[in-house]
Amino acid sequence: MGIIGTSIKPFTATAFQAGKDFFDVTDEDVKGKWAVFFFYPADFTFVCPTELEDLGEKYAMLQDMDVEVYAVSTDTHFSHKAWHDTSDKIAKLNFPFLGDQNHVLARNFDVLREGVGLADRATFVVDPDGVIQIMEQTCEGVGRNANELTRKIKAAQYVRANPGQVCPAAWEEGSETLAPSLDLVGKI
């Protein structure tokens, strides 16, 4: 997939978020802050609620980092609300769930399983300019890790704020970074 470094495409999706009326989210709403698009195959399934709950445990921290989270499936916003109202795990979540029943977002991010109508399990991190900086995609049976996602977002934010610096493998906030140069060639 050649999607890293590209701008998100135009979209409008209706969202469900606990404690709010349904509302629309557009590509323009996303710009100006960091965003996570967290695609999952379907509401009322098995791996999805475990990884959404894991992500929900990091939501306050992500908000403090100026990151908004959007959970996305090809279900409707009505289905998202019904799932929220019937699942203990989903009821705890405070981030918006975007309905993508027309498959616009899943196609825009190239994660739609054509002929099946479901999105793949995939995560995209979008910077404040609307440019995709990070993506992760796994098979249906493998859930994602919110700790690792948070680490990658911190690294992306660091690199953006510190031009000329890069974060090596397993970098954690406060750890040493690298300044790529000819002096480092063959020494790492």
Side-chain angles (χ1 to χ4, degrees):
M1 258 187 212
I3 199 164
I4 299 295
T6 64
S7 295
I8 59 171
K9 296 176 182 174
F11 74 89
T12 300
T14 303
F16 165 76
Q17 188 170 9
K20 295 185 178 184
D21 289 333
F22 295 130
F23 60 97
D24 285 344
V25 175
T26 72
D27 53 301
E28 289 301 316
D29 296 326
V30 172
K31 293 179 182 169
K33 67 186 312 184
W34 291 83
V36 171
F37 288 85
F38 199 82
F39 286 88
Y40 62 96
D43 293 348
F44 299 99
T45 55
F46 315 101
V47 174
C48 301
T50 65
E51 59 182 4
L52 288 163
E53 179 184 42
D54 182 47
L55 183 58
E57 291 171 2
K58 299 289 184 226
Y59 186 56
M61 177 191 300
L62 291 167
Q63 291 276 276
D64 289 344
M65 295 165 52
D66 201 30
V67 178
E68 184 55 84
V69 173
Y70 299 99
V72 187
S73 75
T74 56
D75 298 293
T76 67
H77 53 289
F78 298 112
S79 179
H80 294 328
K81 182 182 184 324
W83 196 24
H84 174 271
D85 292 349
T86 58
S87 167
D88 292 340
K89 288 186 183 302
I90 302 305
K92 296 187 282 186
L93 305 179
N94 295 314
F95 45 78
F97 283 70
L98 303 182
D100 190 34
Q101 66 273 18
N102 295 324
H103 306 158
V104 171
L105 280 163
R107 282 196 177 101
N108 283 359
F109 285 91
D110 198 23
V111 296
L112 181 66
R113 287 188 238 157
E114 294 288 350
V116 178
L118 300 177
D120 282 329
R121 194 175 305 286
T123 307
F124 296 87
V125 177
V126 177
D127 73 17
D129 298 320
V131 176
I132 299 167
Q133 296 296 330
I134 297 169
M135 69 135 336
E136 176 185 17
Q137 192 167 2
T138 68
C139 64
E140 180 131 357
V142 177
R144 293 159 283 182
N145 183 314
N147 287 325
E148 177 61 6
L149 173 61
T150 302
R151 185 195 72 78
K152 288 178 183 177
I153 294 169
K154 287 179 180 180
Q157 289 179 333
Y158 181 90
V159 168
R160 180 181 170 96
N162 297 278
Q165 296 289 310
V166 295
C167 297
W171 178 86
E172 294 287 343
E173 190 172 31
S175 299
E176 265 189 57
T177 58
L178 300 172
S181 69
L182 287 176
D183 296 337
L184 290 180
V185 174
K187 295 181 182 171
I188 297 177

